[in-house]
Amino acid sequence: MKLFALLFAVVVTAESLTVKDHWEKFKTDFDKKYQNIAEETRRFRIFQDKFQEIEEHNARYTAGLETYYKGITRFSDLTKEETQGFFKKIHDDTTNWVPKTFETPANVPDQVDWREKAAVFPASDEGNCGASYAFSVTGALEGQNYLVNNISVKLSDQQLVDCDHNNANCQGGNQSNSYNYIMQAGGLNSFDDYPFRKHPGDCRVVSKKYAAMKYTATVGATEEQLRNALAEIGPISVSIYGDWVLDYAGGIYTGSCVNLVQYLDLSALLVGYGVENGTKYWLLRGSFGRKWGEKGYFRLLKDANMCGVALRASYPVLEPVKKTR
Ligand SMILES: *[C@@H]1O[C@H](CO)[C@@H](O)[C@H](O)[C@H]1NC(C)=O
Ligand SMILES: *[C@@H]1O[C@H](CO)[C@@H](O)[C@H](O)[C@H]1NC(C)=O
Ligand SMILES: *[C@@H]1O[C@H](CO)[C@@H](O)[C@H](O)[C@H]1NC(C)=O
């Protein structure tokens, strides 16, 4: 259960509170129960160190020396060793992905934000269900269904979790299996017909399906190609090395990160890019609810090979809905 538990960042603001007060609040907020006093003492020590690290980091943020800040999350009583390998690694089979090349336009837009223009629905909360692959793929599908078919409907992540038996339900999965499932199934149910339940269950598909796919397209693994594709196509499904998100609370992440395909372990929906105070960023939607990060979104340093953001970019190419009249 501790794997894939809910991420829930709370920004540390009330400075008058002692560490002990924060500890009590932490235990209440995240319903923490420890087996015995020794275990609680051990966890409190870890929390103290974490708390101090967050305070020091956020003081640097306040002084303008960092571009992102951290928060207490439900993982704040875990050691570095325990949080390493927190997310399952993502291994896509890309053999039937069709590579696409995107020309750099004469006027590259300074910023892109598809949130208001492409049926990007608010961040879901995966809870204890490690299914970031599903939220990322349905997000890309929802965007294309809107941009190609003018249909704005939230689609079923749970259908991918329950029905795609090549993935591991709530124990991880990947985009390639998800796209293959969508192609075979002829699209996905709406979220309303097949809502998210935070745990795996029996597959129970209803007949009404949306967003039938022709094939999966992939984008050349550079940030320039990713930028061009995003601007032209709409929201893109990506995977990153994401262990650092466990204490991210806002801003543009510029900390250390691995940029290797075999380390990708968290999928997200890339919805934009921009620049703030001279720092370029990618804008992504997470799957940890709207109270995490920046209302469910997070930002990552752009044009710096961060976290492998460009290494597994993909989007679904849809079968356009035929007009019946
Ligand atoms: C940009 O600067 C403003 C004003 O100093 C600050 O509030 C904001 O947090 C900064 N943003 C980043 C990403 O550093
Ligand atoms: C898209 O759908 C909306 C509402 O469903 C409709 O008002 C609009 O005319 C449609 N746009 C196009 C280009 O078909
Ligand atoms: C991802 O897809 C590949 C190829 O289909 C598969 O071998 C692998 O097990 C999948 N990974 C997960 C985590 O499901």
Side-chain angles (χ1 to χ4, degrees):
M1 282 295 273
K2 76 175 194 276
L3 297 182
F4 299 105
L6 166 78
L7 294 180
F8 187 9
V10 180
V11 183
V12 182
T13 44
E15 269 156 45
S16 52
L17 299 180
T18 66
V19 184
K20 194 83 189 167
D21 295 333
H22 284 284
W23 171 246
E24 294 304 327
K25 186 171 182 321
F26 166 80
K27 285 193 295 177
T28 310
D29 285 352
F30 301 114
D31 197 23
K32 293 280 178 180
K33 307 254 187 307
Y34 300 102
Q35 278 172 1
N36 50 47
I37 301 280
E39 177 65 4
E40 173 152 355
T41 306
R42 190 170 97 84
R43 292 295 164 189
F44 178 55
R45 288 220 185 89
I46 299 164
F47 179 89
Q48 268 181 308
D49 290 348
K50 190 116 241 169
F51 184 82
Q52 194 181 342
E53 184 195 313
I54 293 169
E55 292 269 275
E56 284 169 12
H57 178 93
N58 290 353
R60 290 200 303 277
Y61 174 79
T62 308
L65 301 172
E66 296 280 357
T67 55
Y68 70 104
Y69 51 97
K70 298 181 175 186
I72 292 173
T73 69
R74 79 166 46 208
F75 313 105
S76 300
D77 61 351
L78 302 181
T79 62
K80 273 219 158 53
E81 291 69 35
E82 286 170 317
T83 52
Q84 250 163 26
F86 186 81
F87 299 113
K88 294 275 192 301
K89 297 280 183 283
I90 295 162
H91 305 288
D92 285 294
D93 177 357
T94 62
T95 44
N96 67 357
W97 290 15
V98 177
K100 298 274 183 171
T101 308
F102 294 87
E103 295 296 319
T104 298
N107 296 305
V108 177
D110 294 335
Q111 69 121 51
V112 165
D113 187 344
W114 283 106
R115 284 179 294 186
E116 301 301 320
K117 295 177 295 191
V120 177
F121 295 94
S124 300
D125 185 354
E126 62 177 48
N128 291 318
C129 181
S132 65
Y133 65 91
F135 298 98
S136 175
V137 165
T138 51
L141 203 63
E142 287 155 358
Q144 291 308 299
N145 199 27
Y146 181 74
L147 295 166
V148 173
N149 293 323
N150 193 30
I151 298 171
S152 174
V153 61
K154 187 166 161 56
L155 299 172
S156 176
D157 324 286
Q158 189 71 40
Q159 187 180 346
L160 288 176
V161 170
D162 293 348
C163 307
D164 175 7
H165 301 298
N166 288 319
N167 278 331
N169 312 105
C170 287
Q171 305 293 322
N174 56 42
Q175 276 86 334
S176 58
N177 287 338
S178 308
Y179 289 127
N180 289 345
Y181 169 81
I182 295 164
M183 280 188 264
Q184 280 154 20
L188 287 182
N189 287 168
S190 70
F191 181 89
D192 287 346
D193 283 340
Y194 200 156
F196 186 58
R197 291 194 310 270
K198 294 194 182 181
H199 52 82
D202 293 335
C203 177
R204 44 162 205 83
V205 181
V206 302
S207 59
K208 180 106 183 84
K209 288 171 188 162
Y210 296 87
M213 265 182 75
K214 282 202 280 200
Y215 61 90
T216 306
T218 183
V219 179
T222 67
E223 289 183 273
E224 193 182 5
Q225 278 296 301
L226 188 56
R227 176 201 64 195
N228 295 352
L230 180 79
E232 192 174 321
I233 295 296
I236 303 271
S237 171
V238 298
S239 295
I240 61 167
Y241 171 71
D243 287 10
W244 57 269
V245 307
L246 298 178
D247 61 7
Y248 169 87
I252 302 167
Y253 183 71
T254 52
S256 62
C257 220
V258 185
N259 182 42
L260 294 170
V261 78
Q262 64 270 31
Y263 280 85
L264 302 177
D265 61 3
L266 179 69
S267 299
L269 183 67
L270 185 71
V271 299
Y273 65 80
V275 55
E276 183 173 324
N277 305 340
T279 304
K280 289 190 198 170
Y281 64 81
W282 293 111
L283 174 65
L284 302 103
R285 188 188 69 183
S287 48
F288 312 114
R290 289 172 232 178
K291 289 179 181 165
W292 174 83
E294 300 182 323
K295 297 192 167 71
Y297 288 81
F298 62 102
R299 289 182 294 163
L300 185 61
L301 183 64
K302 180 172 170 288
D303 296 339
N305 270 332
M306 282 289 279
C307 312
V309 67
L311 298 179
R312 276 286 186 268
S314 62
Y315 62 91
V317 175
L318 300 194
E319 192 75 72
V321 172
K322 289 187 190 66
K323 296 270 186 300
T324 46
R325 298 186 281 137

